[in-house]
Amino acid sequence: MFYRETGQFKTSYAADQQIFPIRQDRIGVVLLLIAAFVVMPLAASNYWFNAILIPFLIFSLAAIGLNILTGYAGQLSLGSAAFMAVGAYAAYNFQVRVEGMPILVSFMLAGLTSAGVGILFGLPSLRIKGFYLAVATLAAQFFIVWCLTKFPYLSNNSSSGVISVPGIEILGIKFDAPQERYLLVLAIVALLALVAKNMVRSTTGRAWMAVRDMDVAAEVIGIRLMRTKLLAFAISSFYCGVAGALYAFCYLGSVEPDGFSLDLSFKILFMIIVGGVGSILGSFLGAAFILLLPIFLDIFLPWLSALLQLPFDGATVSHIQLMVFGALIMFFLIVEPHGLARLWQIGKEKLRLWPFPH
Amino acid sequence: MARQIGDVILDLKNISLRFGGVKALTDISFDVREHEIRAIIGPNGAGKSSMLNVINGVYRPQEGEIIFRGEHRRNMDTHAAAEAGFARTFQNIALFKGMTVLDNLMAGRNLKMKSNFLQHALWWGPAKREELAHRRKVEEVIDFLDIEHIRKTPVGRLPYGLQKRVELARALAAEPQILLLDEPMAGMNVEEKQDMCRFILDVNDQLGTTIVLIEHDMGVVMDISDRVVVLDYGKKIGDGVPDDVKNNPEVIAAYLGTQH
Ligand SMILES: Nc1ncnc2c1ncn2[C@@H]1O[C@H](COP(=O)(O)OP(=O)(O)OP(=O)(O)O)[C@@H](O)[C@H]1O
Ligand SMILES: [Mg+2]
């Protein structure tokens, strides 16, 4: 009754091509932004900033990155964490080696460095697809982490590659407190999410999806496969790289190469599978889900064990977490490959018809 | 009919194509005139699809020459073909299944769009203007083919007959000079076939598009094409206006000798 486009006639194609053509969606987004930028900083506790909100935003960004490559352009990658590592270490190096380098410029350059590395490791995609490409990106994953451990130069000669990032200061304002770091991350992620949405709804995004869905036909209508795939690798790695820089500078403060392991890559892959392959919104939903699930289980399982008088210890809890994860991934892969984003969309379609089912 | 058949714009000379030991095409020559509907027929495996693939550069023939608008080439290249104004549909529908009808058609026009990804990223000036201008063009094609009601539907959810029509729409969205259609009516019911025939004739008549068409339905071929090439086992066994081809003994033999 309340959520529908009835009466909102599109009088121009411009109106029809807005990001959110339905008025209620636009209002929703504005409310969400107000909540994120105004209410949260006032209401949330330090625990929420540090343990939930900041990592949620950063992983959403990485998930958008992977979604661009895998969800939109159809190139499966298992190297997201490695590209985050490139971003983290690049930002660190620009910060400590270049006197007076503004931090935002470092983040930008971190993204670009990661994009460059991404293009390099994207080259095999011109020849191979699917499973074999995934294996090639796996090589990137191991090679990059190995490089960061092996060459002390990359970590400014710190032992075993651990880097501790300097504090953040922009135009004389320090970003130390959790809510300050949160706001910085939020601003960057919101901006880059908008940019990603713009790309995927334009010619760039259509070229990616065309290559994903039917590469011969894409070529026949004049899309250049090489350029399109490498651009997807570049942009995807840019996003992962910026996410990595934020991960080091705004979340952990100190990182080591092994922190960017294959596990982390898989975690990001699970985010897009659960959230929705080929959806920007899904990247956020998936990140929230994958981050919140363990926290939820941490609280819920001990409670359950107390209730049922079962002897759950810490190890059992983490095993059950893994099992729940596995089951969910299988559920989404089999039942709803388009993830939570699709469920959300179906929900909206139902709502549009409500209360009359037809 | 208002249209006037023009000069030869596409001339294929002595084309031979092999896949390992399989001779898909052997020494085939024929030409296509501007504004005509040129059919390619022949039994299964005769090499019809291979011929289309040679024309727009998906396959590269080992021998022969392709002359398009006076320009001689050893082979075509898909990108060059698209830029030169070739568009096509495939025997097994090759739409972008996860994209909406609208996005499929917009993608069909990608070569006409000049803005770059940075402009897209910022949804800025030229990117936005282009998106609107091309949307208008795409809507014309949507009107033309009567697919307004499915604009926003992902093509993977459409029934087969409509998918075939959307694929034609995507090809038309590119405003092609030559349209290559690989069995556009295969698997359709009578009504859908009639619609498709009408669309093809309208495209040819109203837009002046030259059409090269592969089709198994003899009735359709004889009705709508200006000239017909007949292939059998990769060789050309007939070429001419429908009536001549119909009475060509070699063609009759080829068709009686195979089942359909
Ligand atoms: N990519 C390929 N690799 C190997 N052989 C091929 C390839 N494409 C076609 N052929 C072979 O070339 C011959 C001609 O095939 P083609 O698809 O051109 O026939 P067709 O006339 O379109 O048949 P149909 O009516 O069944 O579509 C067949 O023997 C086929 O097996
Ligand atoms: Mg064929």
Side-chain angles (χ1 to χ4, degrees):
Chain A
M1 259 325 202
F2 303 106
Y3 180 81
R4 57 179 52 169
E5 66 249 73
T6 324
Q8 302 179 25
F9 295 109
K10 308 291 185 308
T11 47
S12 68
Y13 296 134
D16 195 38
Q17 285 174 339
Q18 297 175 75
I19 297 191
F20 302 105
I22 297 178
R23 190 188 305 129
Q24 284 85 339
D25 280 342
R26 283 199 294 279
I27 297 173
V29 168
V30 169
L31 289 178
L32 195 68
L33 286 176
I34 293 176
F37 276 99
V38 182
V39 182
M40 275 298 177
L42 296 173
S45 67
N46 281 359
Y47 169 79
W48 266 81
F49 287 125
N50 285 327
I52 296 172
L53 293 173
I54 293 178
F56 157 67
L57 289 169
I58 293 173
F59 279 110
S60 299
L61 190 62
I64 291 175
L66 181 61
N67 228 332
I68 285 174
L69 184 61
T70 303
Y72 286 95
Q75 313 296 306
L76 185 54
S77 162
L78 296 175
S80 324
F83 295 114
M84 284 179 74
V86 172
Y89 279 78
Y92 172 75
N93 277 294
F94 285 118
Q95 245 354 75
V96 298
R97 288 176 197 280
V98 184
E99 193 65 41
M101 176 69 98
I103 184 80
L104 290 180
V105 177
S106 285
F107 287 168
M108 184 81 189
L109 291 173
L112 292 176
T113 309
S114 184
V117 178
I119 290 176
L120 210 62
F121 283 101
L123 288 174
S125 73
L126 307 180
R127 277 302 172 93
I128 53 180
K129 296 186 199 176
F131 175 71
Y132 296 97
L133 180 62
V135 173
T137 59
L138 203 56
Q141 170 67 49
F142 288 118
F143 180 74
I144 289 169
V145 171
W146 176 79
C147 276
L148 293 173
T149 322
K150 180 79 183 167
F151 301 107
Y153 176 85
L154 297 174
S155 50
N156 205 13
N157 303 312
S158 81
S159 64
S160 68
V162 180
I163 54 171
S164 291
V165 301
I168 302 174
E169 201 182 303
I170 300 171
L171 301 173
I173 305 165
K174 284 204 179 339
F175 286 77
D176 287 334
Q179 71 258 54
E180 292 162 353
R181 282 184 281 120
Y182 161 78
L183 279 172
L184 178 64
V185 173
L186 177 64
I188 294 174
V189 172
L191 186 75
L192 286 178
L194 176 68
V195 164
K197 186 72 196 173
N198 281 342
M199 277 189 281
V200 300
R201 70 194 174 116
S202 64
T203 312
T204 301
R206 285 191 294 264
W208 286 336
M209 292 186 276
V211 168
R212 170 195 71 190
D213 285 350
M214 189 63 75
D215 52 1
V216 179
E219 220 177 345
V220 162
I221 61 173
I223 291 171
R224 296 213 186 256
L225 293 190
M226 180 166 93
R227 194 185 293 171
T228 306
K229 285 182 184 177
L230 291 184
L231 183 66
F233 268 96
I235 307 267
S236 162
S237 308
F238 180 91
Y239 275 73
C240 288
V242 173
L246 295 176
Y247 189 71
F249 278 78
C250 299
Y251 176 42
L252 292 180
S254 157
V255 292
E256 55 176 336
D258 288 336
F260 298 96
S261 63
L262 185 59
D263 275 4
L264 193 66
S265 287
F266 269 116
K267 199 165 167 179
I268 299 166
L269 183 62
F270 292 162
M271 286 174 185
I272 72 167
I273 291 173
V274 171
V277 175
S279 159
I280 301 293
L281 171 69
S283 312
F284 285 95
L285 297 178
F289 194 86
I290 298 287
L291 286 178
L292 290 179
L293 185 67
I295 297 174
F296 170 75
L297 291 178
D298 264 347
I299 299 167
F300 176 72
L301 288 175
W303 177 82
L304 189 72
S305 77
L307 188 75
L308 303 176
Q309 314 230 310
L310 292 172
F312 282 6
D313 56 12
T316 320
V317 168
S318 65
H319 285 152
I320 293 179
Q321 277 191 11
L322 279 178
M323 279 154 55
V324 173
F325 254 86
L328 275 168
I329 301 296
M330 285 200 283
F331 168 81
F332 277 106
L333 280 178
I334 295 166
V335 181
E336 189 47 81
H338 294 289
L340 293 170
R342 176 84 188 116
L343 295 180
W344 167 252
Q345 204 189 347
I346 292 173
K348 284 208 303 190
E349 273 165 25
K350 291 251 158 71
L351 191 60
R352 208 142 88 195
L353 299 175
W354 186 87
F356 312 105
H358 292 292
Chain B
M1 256 186 221
R3 86 204 156 99
Q4 197 90 52
I5 291 180
D7 297 332
V8 171
I9 53 167
L10 177 67
D11 198 359
L12 298 144
K13 288 218 152 96
N14 311 101
I15 303 283
S16 293
L17 173 74
R18 287 181 299 274
F19 297 102
V22 181
K23 289 183 178 168
L25 299 169
T26 310
D27 197 27
I28 294 193
S29 305
F30 68 93
D31 58 26
V32 180
R33 292 174 176 276
E34 191 152 26
H35 308 309
E36 81 172 333
I37 298 183
R38 185 73 148 122
I40 303 177
I41 64 170
N44 292 108
K48 305 179 298 293
S49 298
S50 301
M51 196 65 234
L52 278 204
N53 282 326
V54 165
I55 294 178
N56 82 327
V58 178
Y59 292 163
R60 301 189 167 205
Q62 278 81 10
E63 276 138 55
E65 197 181 17
I66 301 169
I67 306 158
F68 179 62
R69 291 198 185 283
E71 215 179 302
H72 292 244
R73 302 178 206 235
R74 273 286 290 112
N75 52 45
M76 272 287 185
D77 146 284
T78 44
H79 192 84
E83 292 214 305
F86 285 85
R88 71 174 285 183
T89 65
F90 294 79
Q91 186 167 351
N92 309 306
I93 302 170
L95 283 167
F96 308 127
K97 294 239 154 62
M99 294 160 67
T100 61
V101 170
L102 201 54
D103 278 341
N104 268 274
L105 268 59
M106 288 293 275
R109 290 185 69 79
N110 78 92
L111 274 181
K112 302 214 180 302
M113 307 202 190
K114 299 297 171 221
S115 54
N116 62 41
F117 78 94
L118 285 174
Q119 292 165 330
H120 299 153
L122 304 175
W123 202 247
W124 171 65
K128 202 170 158 182
R129 274 200 302 279
E130 240 182 22
E131 196 80 7
L132 281 180
H134 290 281
R135 172 73 188 270
R136 255 173 231 123
K137 278 283 176 196
V138 159
E139 289 289 341
E140 284 173 24
V141 176
I142 287 178
D143 270 359
F144 192 82
L145 293 184
D146 266 347
I147 44 176
E148 295 89 346
H149 57 297
I150 50 168
R151 273 197 195 89
K152 299 269 174 86
T153 314
V155 293
R157 288 198 221 156
L158 296 174
Y160 177 84
L162 270 181
Q163 289 197 12
K164 280 276 196 196
R165 199 188 293 185
V166 173
E167 205 187 12
L168 174 64
R170 183 182 65 189
L172 286 181
E175 296 178 63
Q177 299 192 15
I178 298 199
L179 194 52
L180 312 173
L181 304 175
D182 197 342
E183 306 198 12
M185 290 164 242
M188 286 186 165
N189 62 35
V190 178
E191 202 179 325
E192 289 172 325
K193 271 190 190 178
Q194 277 171 354
D195 282 345
M196 190 51 97
C197 268
R198 186 168 51 82
F199 290 135
I200 293 172
L201 287 170
D202 282 352
V203 168
N204 178 247
D205 194 33
Q206 293 173 22
L207 310 176
T209 313
T210 308
I211 293 173
V212 180
L213 165 87
I214 297 175
E215 186 47 56
H216 273 300
D217 187 321
M218 277 305 153
V220 168
V221 170
M222 297 303 159
D223 268 0
I224 70 173
S225 50
D226 296 300
R227 289 191 299 157
V228 184
V229 182
V230 193
L231 303 183
D232 189 23
Y233 291 113
K235 297 203 178 80
K236 183 167 106 170
I237 58 169
D239 188 351
V241 296
D243 282 335
D244 288 353
V245 167
K246 215 169 8 188
N247 301 321
N248 178 333
E250 240 185 301
V251 174
I252 294 170
Y255 270 89
L256 290 178
T258 45
Q259 265 76 46
H260 287 284

